[in-house]
Amino acid sequence: MELINPNPVIYEAENLSDDEEYLKRKVCQGEDEREPIDKFEIYEHIRHINDPEHPLTLEQLNIASPKHIYVNDEGNTIEVLFTPTIPHCSMSTLIGLTIRAKLLRSLPPRFKVDVKINPGTHFSEHAINKQLQDKERVAAALEQGHLLDAVNKGIAAVSYTHLTLPTIYSV
């Protein structure tokens, strides 16, 4: 199989702890208070999705970034703009579908999720965006075995190595 982009640029992971906006995130003080969902939480959900063509994540390829995620928690809307690695990337629809599926599976159903190509970064952005916004087309795509397998493969490849798990001691 010939690769569409055989030599993608690999980027260093963003250090969010240096981001002023990240540091000013609202933290709940009480048990009864609902913690708002913000762009950094959305980014955590999608940053480790694997690219369908390479064994690299959306973060490593700079396809996804917190600066291109817009959340209105009170209005229940989320918009994710992603940037394909090349302007003629044939995997863009699959990448968008995978991002959308991951968020729909991870977030409360109150959210309307829009996933789009960053303006000016793909030759067919309007056609792909139209496909990604069509709920019936997305649902039909996710019922197709081979597409669902590809989406699940991208989501299943999410790496949780950045998490610190508690040590369990046996008695």
Side-chain angles (χ1 to χ4, degrees):
M1 181 172 95
E2 187 176 327
L3 297 176
I4 297 161
N5 184 4
N7 297 308
V9 176
I10 301 172
Y11 295 82
E12 195 171 319
E14 293 188 48
N15 185 357
L16 297 178
S17 61
D18 292 339
D19 188 304
E20 281 185 44
E21 190 176 355
Y22 180 79
L23 296 173
K24 292 179 183 177
R25 293 172 78 188
K26 183 178 191 274
V27 178
C28 290
Q29 301 300 319
E31 252 181 59
D32 296 333
E33 188 179 358
R34 181 177 63 81
E35 188 171 317
I37 292 177
D38 64 11
K39 68 181 181 178
F40 299 106
E41 182 171 343
I42 301 304
Y43 184 60
E44 281 300 323
H45 283 295
I46 65 172
R47 72 194 289 185
H48 297 288
I49 291 173
N50 254 21
D51 178 77
E53 187 177 26
H54 300 284
L56 299 166
T57 67
L58 300 188
E59 177 182 47
Q60 290 172 312
L61 294 171
N62 204 28
I63 293 171
S65 170
K67 66 185 174 196
H68 296 130
I69 298 172
Y70 306 94
V71 177
N72 179 343
D73 187 59
E74 291 175 9
N76 301 318
T77 60
I78 295 169
E79 182 180 56
V80 176
L81 302 177
F82 68 97
T83 306
T85 57
I86 53 176
H88 57 276
C89 177
S90 65
M91 297 292 166
S92 294
T93 305
L94 180 57
I95 292 168
L97 190 60
T98 305
I99 292 170
R100 187 176 182 82
K102 173 64 175 158
L103 293 177
L104 292 175
R105 293 176 187 179
S106 303
L107 298 172
R110 66 185 173 93
F111 281 102
K112 179 185 183 299
V113 177
D114 286 330
V115 177
K116 300 176 182 173
I117 292 179
N118 220 345
T121 62
H122 195 282
F123 295 143
S124 302
E125 74 181 74
H126 298 292
I128 293 170
N129 286 342
K130 186 175 180 179
Q131 290 176 353
L132 292 173
Q133 300 317 305
D134 186 334
K135 289 181 184 180
E136 291 160 3
R137 190 176 249 178
V138 168
L142 292 175
E143 289 177 3
Q144 292 183 28
H146 68 284
L147 273 178
L148 182 58
D149 289 345
V151 166
N152 288 336
K153 184 179 175 185
I155 292 172
V158 172
S159 167
Y160 293 101
T161 57
H162 64 286
L163 299 176
T164 304
L165 300 176
T167 304
I168 300 174
Y169 297 97
S170 58
V171 184

